[in-house]
Amino acid sequence: MAKKHEPFVIGDVSVAAGTQLSVKLPAAKLYNDTPMDLHVEVFHGTKPGPTLLVCAAIHGDELNGIEICRRLLGRVNAKTLTGTLLVVPIVNVFGFIQQSRYLPDRRDLNRCFPGSAKGALASRLAHLFSSMLVKRATHIVDLHTGAIHRENLPQIRCDTDDETMLAMANAFGAPVVMSSKAREGSMRGYANSLDIPCILYEAGEALRFSDMSIKSGLNGVINVMRCIGMLKGKVKATTSVNASRSYWVRSEADGLVNIKLKLGERVSKGQVLANIVNPLGGEPCPLLAPSDGIIIGNSNIPVTNEGEALFHIAQFSGDEIEIINDNLDDFMQEYA
C-alpha cells in the first residue's frame, strides 16, 4: 500500500497533497501601514519526494526570473507532481516596488543571509526567507540577471565539485556552466552551508525582459524537476562545459564604445572587441581580447571611462572551446 503523503505546512497554512495554494508570509509594513507579504506558491504533490524552491528577484530589479516563475505556475499540476514545489517570484518585494536592486536602506539582500529576526530590514527579510523556505528545501534554483546596463549570456553558476549541483546544472541546459564558490552572506552560500544543493541562473539584464533568457530559464527549471524525479519526462542530453576561469576586460581610454563583437561570440587572443573613440574625432583606441574565450557578459552603455568593465570573457581549456561553440550554436537555434 502506497504511503500517504502528509500535508505540507508553511506558517499557519496546511497544504493538502495534490493541491496548489497561494501562501502569504508577512514580511514588514510600509510607512503608511500597508502590509508587505512574501508570496509563496505551493504545489504539494500526491507522492513524497524532493522539495524544490524556485525563487527570483532577490535583487529587486532583476525581472526575467519573475516572468520565469509566472510561466512555471501554468506548467505544473500538483496532482501529477512528486514532491513539493515552492515558487517565490519576488523575494525582495521592497526593491521590486522601487525598481531597485537594493532594499530601502541600500543593503544588498543577497549579502545578508541567513539574517536575524532582530536585525535591520534586510537581515529580517533574509531571516524570514531562510527559516520559512530555504531550510525546508532539498534543492534550490535561484534566478538572477546581470546588473543594470550589463547583460549576461544564459549561464549556470554553482560549485561543480558537488555531484548533485553539477547534475542539476547539466540538466538545466544553459550553454555555459561557471564553476564558482558562493559568496559569504548570499542565499546560495547559506543553502550550501546546510548541504542543500543550489544552482544560480544568470541571464539577461536588470529592468529588461529577454525572451531568450526567459524561455531557456523556464525549460531549465522544468528539466531540473525531471532530473530530481519531480516530473515525468526525459531531460534533453547536453554536454555542459565548465569555464576554467573568467575575467572582465576594462576600457583603456575614455570615450564612445563602438562594439565589434556581441554577447555569446567566440573571441581569439588579440582580436578587437571594441574601438574606443573620442566624440570629437581622432584615432580610435582598440580594445583587444587578452585570450581566447567566449563573451558571457557585456556592458550595454556605449560610453566609457578608462578602467570601466566592458566585456566578461570565459576561458575554456583544450577542445572544450569547440564543445561550447557547438552548445551555443544549438542554444541560439532553439531560443534566439
Side-chain angles (χ1 to χ4, degrees):
M1 187 175 181
K3 183 180 178 182
K4 182 181 178 182
H5 198 189
E6 297 297 324
F8 184 86
V9 179
I10 177 169
D12 58 358
V13 178
S14 179
V15 185
T19 65
Q20 173 188 351
L21 196 63
S22 297
V23 179
K24 293 183 179 180
L25 302 175
K29 289 185 178 181
L30 297 179
Y31 298 131
N32 63 356
D33 203 40
T34 301
M36 296 291 287
D37 297 324
L38 200 61
H39 185 119
V40 186
E41 201 69 23
V42 181
F43 295 81
H44 192 42
T46 54
K47 300 176 183 177
T51 298
L52 175 66
L53 170 61
V54 179
C55 59
I58 281 182
H59 296 130
D61 59 357
E62 298 183 0
L63 308 182
N64 281 330
I66 301 174
E67 178 63 8
I68 292 170
C69 288
R70 188 191 70 81
R71 296 186 188 187
L72 179 64
L73 300 182
R75 293 286 297 274
V76 179
N77 185 343
K79 295 184 183 302
T80 58
L81 181 69
T82 297
T84 304
L85 173 65
L86 307 174
V87 183
V88 185
I90 306 167
V91 180
N92 184 355
V93 289
F94 300 93
F96 175 69
I97 288 173
Q98 308 235 339
Q99 298 181 18
S100 169
R101 178 184 180 89
Y102 305 106
L103 284 149
D105 57 4
R106 296 296 297 167
R107 282 183 170 86
D108 185 336
L109 180 59
N110 210 28
R111 298 294 179 268
C112 297
F113 284 87
S116 167
K118 296 183 179 180
L121 178 61
S123 186
R124 291 178 186 230
L125 183 56
H127 173 75
L128 173 68
F129 193 76
S130 298
S131 59
M132 298 297 289
L133 294 160
V134 174
K135 286 184 175 181
R136 304 290 302 279
T138 61
H139 303 74
I140 300 175
V141 177
D142 187 18
L143 305 171
H144 286 258
T145 75
I148 191 167
H149 304 310
R150 283 188 180 180
E151 186 174 6
N152 281 335
L153 183 73
Q155 58 197 260
I156 291 291
R157 298 180 185 179
C158 67
D159 181 357
T160 55
D161 291 333
D162 183 281
E163 291 184 4
T164 303
M165 281 188 269
L166 182 58
M168 291 169 67
N170 288 337
F172 199 99
V176 176
V177 175
M178 299 288 296
S179 180
S180 69
K181 304 293 184 182
R183 292 188 179 185
E184 184 177 353
S186 68
M187 190 274 287
R188 179 163 69 103
Y190 176 61
N192 292 169
S193 74
L194 300 176
D195 293 325
I196 300 170
C198 175
I199 63 172
L200 188 151
Y201 176 61
E202 281 273 2
E205 177 186 359
L207 293 178
R208 298 288 183 273
F209 270 173
S210 161
D211 196 50
M212 175 181 70
S213 301
I214 293 166
K215 286 180 178 178
S216 63
L218 175 61
N219 284 348
V221 173
I222 290 172
N223 280 335
V224 169
M225 294 179 70
R226 289 171 176 158
C227 172
I228 63 177
M230 298 182 72
L231 293 177
K232 294 180 179 179
K234 289 186 177 181
V235 178
K236 182 180 177 181
T238 58
T239 306
S240 293
V241 180
N242 302 337
S244 56
R245 68 180 288 258
S246 69
Y247 59 89
W248 279 92
V249 181
R250 298 182 178 276
S251 177
E252 297 175 0
D254 308 292
L256 307 179
V257 184
N258 288 336
I259 291 178
K260 299 300 180 183
L261 294 176
K262 299 178 181 179
L263 198 67
E265 288 196 74
R266 179 174 175 174
V267 301
S268 302
K269 183 178 180 179
Q271 189 172 1
V272 177
L273 300 169
N275 283 320
I276 312 301
V277 297
N278 188 311
L280 302 179
E283 291 296 315
C285 174
L287 185 65
L288 307 180
S291 70
D292 295 349
I294 300 287
I295 299 174
I296 62 168
N298 62 254
S299 169
N300 283 329
I301 302 179
V303 294
T304 185
N305 289 117
E306 185 176 356
E308 288 186 1
L310 296 182
F311 295 91
H312 191 192
I313 295 180
Q315 287 183 282
F316 302 87
S317 58
D319 295 335
E320 290 184 334
I321 190 74
E322 300 299 336
I323 298 174
I324 188 63
N325 229 23
D326 291 340
N327 284 359
L328 278 166
D329 287 344
D330 292 343
F331 182 84
M332 292 301 180
Q333 286 180 11
E334 184 170 359
Y335 294 112

